[in-house]
Amino acid sequence: MSQIVEINSEPTKQNKKELARQKSQALILDAAERLFSSSGYDGASMNAIANEANVPKANVLYYFKSKDNLYEAVLERILSNWNLGLIDISVNDDPAVALYKYIYLKVRLACEQPMQSRLFATEIIRGAPYLGDYIRNNTRPWFRKKIEVLQAWIDANKIAPVDPTHLLFMIWSSTQYYADYQTEILILQNKLEYEESDIQAITRSIAQLILGGLGLKLPENR
Amino acid sequence: MSQIVEINSEPTKQNKKELARQKSQALILDAAERLFSSSGYDGASMNAIANEANVPKANVLYYFKSKDNLYEAVLERILSNWNLGLIDISVNDDPAVALYKYIYLKVRLACEQPMQSRLFATEIIRGAPYLGDYIRNNTRPWFRKKIEVLQAWIDANKIAPVDPTHLLFMIWSSTQYYADYQTEILILQNKLEYEESDIQAITRSIAQLILGGLGLKLPENR
DNA sequence: TTTTTAATTGACCATACGGTCAAAACATTT
DNA sequence: AAATGTTTTGACCGTATGGTCAATTAAAAA
């Protein structure tokens, strides 16, 4: 599995090859992400994915041994991508600033990478057959820590006493909604796509309601 | 399509037959709703639906001429069910009372009929191939009217000036979330299912944040 | 250059899919 | 009882699916 990676600045042949390999795989993963997210696991056929990636189907199955395997790889890539950009909240932060930033980044992610959120959503709706363990072993401990942070803020009278669990769910739901229900939202607003100004307006509205509900003022330097 | 329905209290033979027919269809619709909601359109096979309903597959296709047709019928039933229980908000209502009630009913629906919300969600995520027109022709006019109500409240200084569009989206998102992401929520809270007390706690938390953000107090007689 | 290894691909396979059909079973009317 | 209409159902069909495989090509190592 593992491969020795040269630290040398000049890429070796091994390095080149591995790079090409990853590039090929990334191309297939991109296509798979697009199709899985729009058509669901069963709706996206290996054939369609291969076409989307402009490679023969057998090649897809050469890199990813099965459809399950490919689906899992797509999910893992999404999760690692999310973990990269995830800004934490911690006890010593100023609640208003930290929460505003958190909301803003979540809205950005939802509007700019909606496919990832949608794929995640369908996986959960199906009963999380692949992510169940991940949520139990990774998300839950992280979740509990954040609950503690929120509770600490409440105890220190920094925010109004709201059930921290549902507060966190509310931030997740109101931001993710703009990805998952994008189609409906755009129809209702008679728009073709989100613009930069929408991201600002969404963030402001969500922050206004949630921070307001917590008895906080919107931070100055947004 | 339409059939003369006897108002007579004693059911005629025709009536009996029609009733049996509707009962059969309802059984199939129930099974289809369950499977479409958990496995998606493509994931739910006609065979599986027939098994779930304990009838041969050919019988399903006798009542619903195609898979598309069946899927559409399931969606229509959900929408008509939703429209039945939907409580409106209108200009003369007391904002706090009306919004609280609206939130409460949405939470109830999400927790008690999660499959319907989930099926709706996957339909939207797929790009609303069947509901696109419905949303344009029915939901959008309704949506615009509600926006007007909210704007009127703002203009009358009854609620804080928040973008009414995003306020409405926020109510929808935070309530539907408990249906669509039920699996994740239960894992995170280490629960097996929602209880009545959860419905109360969820409603209270959402109402506290949203009403608070609007500068309203929670209504007394809840 | 020769040998070895990795990547690409068209052809192929068993299975499961949505959908059809005609025959049987059942009920209703004449 | 006969005739008519409606449901029920097993058998069947063409097609698309996920996946395999052996043959070919490309690249790296010897």
Side-chain angles (χ1 to χ4, degrees), chain A residues 20-40:
Chain A
R21 201 187 155 84
Q22 284 182 1
K23 207 176 154 190
S24 277
Q25 291 194 12
L27 226 79
I28 295 171
L29 284 173
D30 287 342
E33 185 177 295
R34 255 171 280 147
L35 282 182
F36 278 137
S37 111
S38 66
S39 314

Side-chain angles (χ1 to χ4, degrees), chain B residues 141-194:
Chain B
W142 182 90
F143 177 76
R144 297 232 159 121
K145 269 185 200 147
K146 297 313 139 191
I147 297 298
E148 280 173 23
V149 171
L150 294 172
Q151 189 59 53
W153 286 350
I154 294 173
D155 294 339
N157 273 323
K158 288 183 175 173
I159 62 175
V162 185
D163 187 325
T165 300
H166 297 302
L167 167 57
L168 208 44
F169 287 156
M170 200 151 162
I171 296 176
W172 289 357
S173 66
S174 53
T175 52
Q176 290 228 121
Y177 193 72
Y178 289 88
D180 302 347
Y181 288 76
Q182 186 185 49
T183 304
E184 189 188 17
I185 289 174
L186 290 178
I187 293 178
L188 290 181
Q189 294 185 298
N190 200 22
K191 283 197 172 188
L192 276 173
E193 51 185 63
Y194 294 135

Side-chain angles (χ1 to χ4, degrees), chain A residues 17 21 24 56-59 62-63:
Chain A
K17 209 173 164 187
R21 201 187 155 84
S24 277
K57 185 182 66 164
N59 199 342
Y62 170 76
Y63 279 110

